Amino acid sequence: MTTSLKQALKSHFGFDNFRSKIQEDVVKAVIRGDRDVFVCMPTGAGKSLCYQLPAMLADGITLVISPLIALIQDQVDHLKELNIPACSINSKLPANERHLILADLGSSSPKLKLLYITPEMVASPSFQPCLTNLCSRGLLSYLAVDEAHCVSQWGHDFRPDYLKLGKLRARLPGVPCLALTATAPRNVQEDIVQSLSLNSPLSFVTPVFRRNLHYDVIFRDQLPNPFAHLYTFIKKALALGSGSNGQGCGIVYCRTREGCETVAHQLTKLGILSKPYHAGLKAGDRTEVQNDWMQGRMLVIVATISFGMGVDKANVRFVAHWNLAKSLASYYQESGRAGRDGLPSLCRAYYSPKDKDQIYFLIRQEVIRRQEKRGSVKDTDKAPITDFEAMVSFCLQESATRKTLVTKPHLFF
Ligand code: ADP
Ligand code: MG
């Protein structure tokens, strides 16, 4: 099963591997088709694939609900490039094209695999006969509700039309529903499950993507003064306070020793006492810096990723990445050191194309070095590159999504 899934992933989407274990698990759960599925993963984690791959492996059509025509258009264009039969019915569609689509849907074996639609359109009377007809012929494989937090009044993007999806579900008996979102607060999740009448859904929530952590990405090269920007962020994060645990503290991660030294120096100059921590320091000095930070004598530690293993401090109010992490998995692990006490905390990644190119270069060199040493090439050699690409696309997506649609919980701003 796994091999054929991987083959399908490769042949339809060109990917060698699933982006994460959770992405693979969701795909398998959707394909099993015996339960509704709820997915909460951060932007860029690859939620679309969770219904797109099952859609390709099913006989019928997958109906995808998405809130904005612009988002739908992006996805449909992308799928068409991959030669995947996908299209969208929306208010902007010329009548003749709409006619062609409806004709295909009405035929005995429709060619279409993915039909994207806005919630307004799915509720419109003109579309009902087509829908009922597909359902009664058993041709609806899945109902996927993307950006499912739009159903919740707690979220930032509440869309009244999403509330109609509950009724839609009632008219599609036996069609498993998959709800996807990047918005994690529990009340939003509860609204989604209730409004879409998800029936004891299998729930997949990225574990380290915790509800009290607020993620964002800043393009570093576009800032007039990056250090001042970081300083302002730290001030804001530390002002969040820390309940009964006293003053909060934070971690800035840098890729190099020099980076740590520079950032610590700049922050101290701006008025936040901070110290560097990296493998270039004497063991004694390193321990001292760590202790100062652990015991709250110094609030901000500027460290390479050698810092943090086994460090468990409850009141870390922020983790900032001055350079990109090498994979999404490391990013969540490192940023997940914030907010262990469950209180609101900030996770920020500073993105820079130059930084990205450098890290790419280093990772590629490492891959080549390993191949030369072994004298052969393996499929899995590329994994570090794919992993890093996931991190990069998270950053790009995060900032792009922010412009079109706020999909993140704004817990405390
Ligand atoms: P989300 O909806 O979770 O924000 P998307 O579905 O838009 O994320 O996917 C983000 C990016 O990740 C897209 O460019 C997509 O092509 C890519 N992607 C998804 N799955 C994989 C995978 N298994 N391997 C490599 N890239 C992937
Ligand atoms: Mg998405």
Side-chain angles (χ1 to χ4, degrees):
M1 153 108 170
T2 307
T3 337
S4 65
L5 251 193
K6 280 236 173 106
Q7 278 166 0
L9 181 66
K10 179 75 181 167
S11 67
H12 294 301
F13 297 91
F15 299 138
D16 291 316
N17 282 300
F18 284 100
R19 178 155 268 184
S20 57
K21 175 84 168 51
I22 191 167
Q23 190 187 45
E24 180 171 4
D25 289 345
V26 174
V27 166
K28 286 179 179 166
V30 172
I31 289 175
R32 260 198 322 275
D34 53 351
R35 298 265 297 272
D36 289 336
V37 173
F38 172 80
V39 179
C40 179
M41 295 200 282
T43 310
K47 289 188 287 298
S48 324
L49 191 94
C50 297
Y51 53 82
Q52 289 169 345
L53 181 55
M56 291 311 287
L57 298 172
D59 285 334
I61 291 155
T62 295
L63 194 63
V64 185
I65 314 289
S66 178
L68 295 175
I69 295 182
L71 285 181
I72 291 180
Q73 206 51 54
D74 272 359
Q75 291 228 10
V76 169
D77 290 348
H78 177 66
L79 290 170
K80 282 187 173 158
E81 272 167 28
L82 293 170
N83 276 324
I84 290 176
C87 71
S88 142
I89 295 189
N90 60 64
S91 53
K92 289 193 182 154
L93 196 70
N96 57 339
E97 286 182 34
R98 185 187 160 99
H99 191 75
L100 282 177
I101 295 172
L102 290 176
D104 179 56
L105 294 177
S107 69
S108 55
S109 52
K111 293 190 181 54
L112 202 62
K113 288 272 119 198
L114 288 131
L115 178 62
Y116 282 76
I117 197 156
T118 55
E120 294 86 324
M121 187 54 81
V122 89
S124 84
S126 66
F127 187 60
Q128 300 319 302
C130 169
L131 208 55
T132 320
N133 181 269
L134 282 173
C135 188
S136 63
R137 291 189 292 150
L139 282 176
L140 279 184
S141 318
Y142 309 106
L143 171 67
V145 181
D146 210 346
E147 313 291 353
H149 59 278
C150 290
V151 86
S152 171
Q153 312 207 27
W154 295 104
H156 253 222
D157 318 302
F158 173 58
R159 306 203 133 222
D161 279 306
Y162 260 67
L163 288 177
K164 297 179 185 156
L165 296 176
K167 283 209 190 97
L168 170 75
R169 273 225 79 190
R171 275 184 280 123
L172 307 176
V175 180
C177 180
L178 167 68
L180 310 105
T181 181
T183 303
R186 180 156 302 270
N187 48 7
V188 175
Q189 293 188 14
E190 282 165 358
D191 276 357
I192 292 173
V193 170
Q194 203 207 344
S195 305
L196 298 178
S197 313
L198 299 185
N199 187 9
S200 54
L202 271 174
S203 192
F204 295 88
V205 180
T206 308
V208 280
F209 185 57
R210 299 197 311 271
R211 272 176 287 142
N212 59 322
L213 302 186
H214 175 94
Y215 281 88
D216 69 3
V217 175
I218 300 290
F219 279 55
R220 182 148 57 84
D221 295 350
Q222 290 168 9
L223 302 171
N225 186 342
F227 297 115
H229 195 274
L230 178 64
Y231 169 83
T232 311
F233 166 75
I234 293 176
K235 277 289 188 199
K236 186 166 81 181
L238 294 180
L240 287 171
S242 211
S244 53
N245 293 318
Q247 173 70 60
C249 62
I251 308 170
V252 180
Y253 279 117
C254 297
R255 192 170 56 77
T256 62
R257 298 170 188 189
E258 299 74 46
C260 295
E261 297 283 347
T262 310
V263 171
H265 175 71
Q266 293 289 338
L267 287 177
T268 306
K269 222 169 74 181
L270 287 165
I272 295 180
L273 174 64
S274 55
K275 287 185 187 166
Y277 177 104
H278 53 71
L281 300 175
K282 286 199 215 92
D285 293 344
R286 263 208 320 265
T287 315
E288 190 182 304
V289 172
Q290 174 159 349
N291 287 342
D292 281 352
W293 183 77
M294 286 300 287
Q295 287 152 25
R297 285 189 294 277
M298 178 227 354
L299 299 183
V300 179
I301 190 163
V302 185
T304 57
I305 52 167
S306 62
F307 177 77
M309 286 295 190
V311 170
D312 196 3
K313 199 167 190 306
N315 59 346
V316 178
R317 288 284 72 82
F318 75 88
V319 172
H321 277 71
W322 193 242
N323 305 103
L324 291 173
K326 65 180 195 307
S327 70
L328 211 45
S330 347
Y331 182 55
Y332 285 122
Q333 189 184 27
E334 288 148 24
S335 58
R337 298 195 173 115
R340 290 262 166 95
D341 53 8
L343 295 173
S345 308
L346 310 181
C347 301
R348 167 165 294 176
Y350 282 93
Y351 177 86
S352 132
K354 222 172 84 197
D355 197 30
K356 180 201 74 181
D357 292 342
Q358 272 177 4
I359 300 175
Y360 251 130
F361 178 77
L362 293 172
I363 294 177
R364 266 200 221 105
Q365 290 237 303
E366 177 60 33
V367 168
I368 293 169
R369 217 174 12 246
R370 220 176 299 149
Q371 288 173 342
E372 281 175 354
K373 207 167 145 201
R374 192 189 319 119
S376 68
V377 177
K378 272 195 203 163
D379 238 18
T380 48
D381 286 347
K382 282 208 210 107
I385 297 176
T386 326
D387 288 351
F388 182 59
E389 279 167 353
M391 182 64 215
V392 171
S393 70
F394 164 81
C395 291
L396 300 180
Q397 288 250 337
E398 168 69 35
S399 61
T401 316
R402 208 158 267 277
K403 284 189 200 114
T404 49
L405 183 89
V406 182
T407 58
K408 283 289 148 106
H410 283 248
L411 293 177
F412 33 78
F413 295 121

